[in-house]
Amino acid sequence: MLNGNVLPVRSYPLLAQKSVRYPSLSLKIQLLMWFIIIACCARRILSLQYDFLNQKGKLQEMIEATGHTVLFYPKFHCELNWIEYYWGQVKRYTRDNCEYNYEGLKTIIPQALSSVKPTTISLFYARTQRIMEAYHNGLTYGSTGYHEYLSHRRVRHLEDDF
C-alpha cells in the first residue's frame, strides 16, 4: 500500500527489506518505478523456469521440422555477423551516390547491393570468423590482444593452423 511518498519494496533485496522514501519524486513516478521493479523481477523469474528455458520459438521449430539447423548469433554482437559489414558497405555506397529522393533511392539501391564484390563478402565472413576465434580464445573486445588478433596483417604461426 502506498502512503504519501513511501515506496513499498517488500522482498526486493536490491532495495532493502523495508519501504524506501523518495520525498523529491511524485507519487506517479514512484508507482512507475515500483511496477518496473516488479515487471523486471517477474520477467527474470519466468525466464529462468525449466519449461521457458527449453521452449523453442515457433520459427525455429518450423525450420528444424524441415531438417535444417538454426544457429543464433548472440544478441548485441553485430561484429559476429558478416551481413552487418555487407549492409554497411551498401549504405555507404548509397549515401555517396544518392540524390536523396524516392526515385533516386529506387534506382541506387539495386546498384548498391550489386556494388559489393563477392570477394569482399568473403573477406567480411573471414573477419567474423577471426572475431569468433578471438572470443573463443578468451580475448575481450577492445583489448590489445583482440586488435592484434583481428588484424589481417598479423604474423601467422604454424601452430595457428593446427
Side-chain angles (χ1 to χ4, degrees), residues 18-149:
K18 57 185 178 180
S19 295
V20 178
R21 293 189 181 271
Y22 295 102
S24 62
L25 298 178
S26 71
L27 187 59
K28 283 184 177 180
I29 293 175
Q30 289 186 41
L31 276 171
L32 180 63
M33 288 171 52
W34 190 63
F35 286 122
I36 289 172
I37 291 168
I38 290 175
C40 175
C41 294
R43 189 177 301 127
R44 178 77 176 147
I45 290 169
L46 281 175
S47 70
L48 295 175
Q49 296 301 312
Y50 178 78
D51 54 345
F52 280 95
L53 287 173
N54 294 320
Q55 178 64 44
K56 296 177 182 176
K58 186 172 183 175
L59 180 62
Q60 183 177 357
E61 288 178 350
M62 290 171 52
I63 292 171
E64 288 178 350
T66 63
H68 297 283
T69 303
V70 178
L71 298 174
F72 290 104
Y73 290 111
K75 291 181 180 177
F76 310 113
H77 283 282
C78 56
E79 76 273 9
L80 299 177
N81 191 350
W82 62 268
I83 196 77
E84 296 294 337
Y85 297 103
Y86 173 73
W87 288 125
Q89 190 94 8
V90 168
K91 288 191 289 186
R92 179 178 296 125
Y93 182 91
T94 304
R95 277 193 306 268
D96 292 343
N97 299 301
C98 186
E99 299 169 5
Y100 292 97
N101 59 36
Y102 183 70
E103 294 303 319
L105 277 176
K106 284 181 12 181
T107 59
I108 202 68
I109 288 179
Q111 294 172 13
L113 290 170
S114 63
S115 72
V116 183
K117 299 176 185 174
T119 54
T120 306
I121 295 171
S122 67
L123 291 174
F124 293 154
Y125 179 77
R127 178 183 173 87
T128 58
Q129 293 302 305
R130 287 195 308 270
I131 293 171
M132 284 188 227
E133 192 175 343
Y135 281 139
H136 180 73
N137 290 333
L139 296 174
T140 58
Y141 183 81
S143 67
T144 305
Y146 180 85
H147 291 294
E148 290 172 2
Y149 196 85

